[in-house]
Amino acid sequence: MKVEKRTFVVSGGSSGLGLATVHDLLSQKAYVAILDRSPPPESVLSSPNVKFWKIDITILDEIASAVNSTVEWAVSTAAPLGGVINCAGVGTASKIIDSHGNPHSLDLWDFTLAVNLTGSFNLTRLVLQHLVKVDPEPGTDGERGIVVFVSSAAAYEGQPGQTAYSATKGALRSMTLPMARDLSRYAVRVVTVAPGVFDSSMTANFPVKTRKSLENEGLVFPKRFGQPYEFAKTVTWILDCPYVNGETIRLSGAGRLPGKL
């Protein structure tokens, strides 16, 4: 699909994988609405092709207000909606029964689902009510836009303590195909990326021992953590290739992390 002079909503676009995606979209002359709790770097925020809305992805009214404002902005720039890229997420950890015999916190479970799953679902459905009305692109396919979700290797090989996290990432993976089927009549695609271990704010605080263990035991080639630009390039490929639809793309360097008991 055409990226230039289209408007994309990127949640979690102020840092990490989301920010790398924003940079790549801007390099292709797209317009980007960043929805996040914190603003992006000034170098991004100062771009005339960027708007930032501070939101909590768990608060529906804030999402709805940001989406409506984005639609108004897209009208004013004559850069119609092109899609939504859901990069907002949290990495939580808690064993189902901890070392003291206590059960998994229900508050932590609810929070993880609220951010990773319900937040992505709410943002997507609210963007879609506008995206399905966008004029189709010229050509045989007549594509209108795209939805991108961010799952995780944890959807396949969840580690101890990742019950809640894996549940959310597995759910995003599972709803990709039925949503793509729902949206086929509108010529809107749905694709999910499932990254392995990437350099991010979540992995930055890993102890050296943990990082070395992951690099030595769980990674195949390259033997390093993924870089945000590699995620962004994957999103670009998804946008560029109309036949990619209803799929979850593993982005892991062939890494398959063994369970650590």
Side-chain angles (χ1 to χ4, degrees):
M1 67 174 292
K2 179 185 175 184
V3 173
E4 183 177 350
K5 207 164 175 59
R6 297 290 297 272
T7 300
F8 294 86
V9 179
V10 182
S11 68
S14 292
S15 63
L17 304 183
L19 179 58
T21 302
V22 169
H23 279 300
D24 222 49
L25 288 170
L26 291 176
S27 73
Q28 299 177 73
K29 301 181 181 179
Y31 287 72
V32 185
I34 298 174
L35 278 56
D36 208 324
R37 296 181 67 179
S38 302
E42 181 58 34
S43 59
V44 171
L45 194 57
S46 61
S47 169
N49 284 33
V50 169
K51 285 287 188 180
F52 167 68
W53 280 276
K54 181 179 179 179
I55 71 159
D56 183 328
I57 198 68
T58 68
I59 300 176
L60 181 57
D61 286 349
E62 292 187 8
I63 300 172
S65 176
V67 169
N68 290 336
S69 296
T70 297
V71 171
E72 293 174 2
W73 179 51
V75 171
S76 70
T77 60
L81 279 176
V84 54
I85 303 168
N86 292 278
C87 294
V90 292
T92 58
S94 178
K95 292 191 175 180
I96 194 67
I97 298 293
D98 69 17
S99 58
H100 302 289
N102 299 314
H104 192 296
S105 163
L106 183 58
D107 287 343
L108 183 63
W109 170 269
D110 288 341
F111 172 68
T112 309
L113 265 67
V115 175
N116 293 353
L117 182 57
T118 306
S120 293
F121 176 75
N122 274 331
L123 176 58
T124 297
R125 69 184 182 88
L126 293 177
V127 170
L128 281 170
Q129 69 177 337
H130 302 284
L131 188 59
V132 297
K133 300 172 185 174
V134 171
D135 290 338
E137 289 184 337
T140 304
D141 295 329
E143 185 175 3
R144 283 192 167 88
I146 193 165
V147 174
V148 176
F149 291 115
V150 181
S151 180
S152 166
Y156 299 85
E157 298 108 21
Q159 299 298 302
Q162 288 190 323
T163 296
Y165 181 74
S166 294
T168 62
K169 296 304 184 177
L172 291 170
R173 172 192 170 200
S174 293
M175 66 193 211
T176 302
L177 180 57
M179 189 179 291
R181 287 171 168 165
D182 279 353
L183 294 171
S184 62
R185 62 186 292 191
Y186 300 106
V188 173
R189 294 185 288 131
V190 184
V191 182
T192 293
V193 183
V197 186
F198 268 66
D199 273 329
S200 67
S201 57
M202 282 193 282
T203 60
N205 296 321
F206 279 4
V208 174
K209 183 179 179 180
T210 300
R211 191 179 185 97
K212 286 296 183 184
S213 176
L214 288 169
E215 289 173 346
N216 293 334
E217 298 177 29
L219 304 179
V220 179
F221 179 83
K223 273 193 167 296
R224 59 170 172 77
F225 286 13
Q227 297 302 304
Y229 82 88
E230 293 170 312
F231 174 87
K233 290 301 181 186
T234 303
V235 172
T236 295
W237 167 69
I238 290 167
L239 295 176
D240 284 347
C241 186
Y243 212 64
V244 181
N245 190 22
E247 306 286 358
T248 296
I249 311 299
R250 293 201 68 161
L251 188 63
S252 63
R256 300 293 183 266
L257 297 177
K260 295 288 188 179
L261 301 180

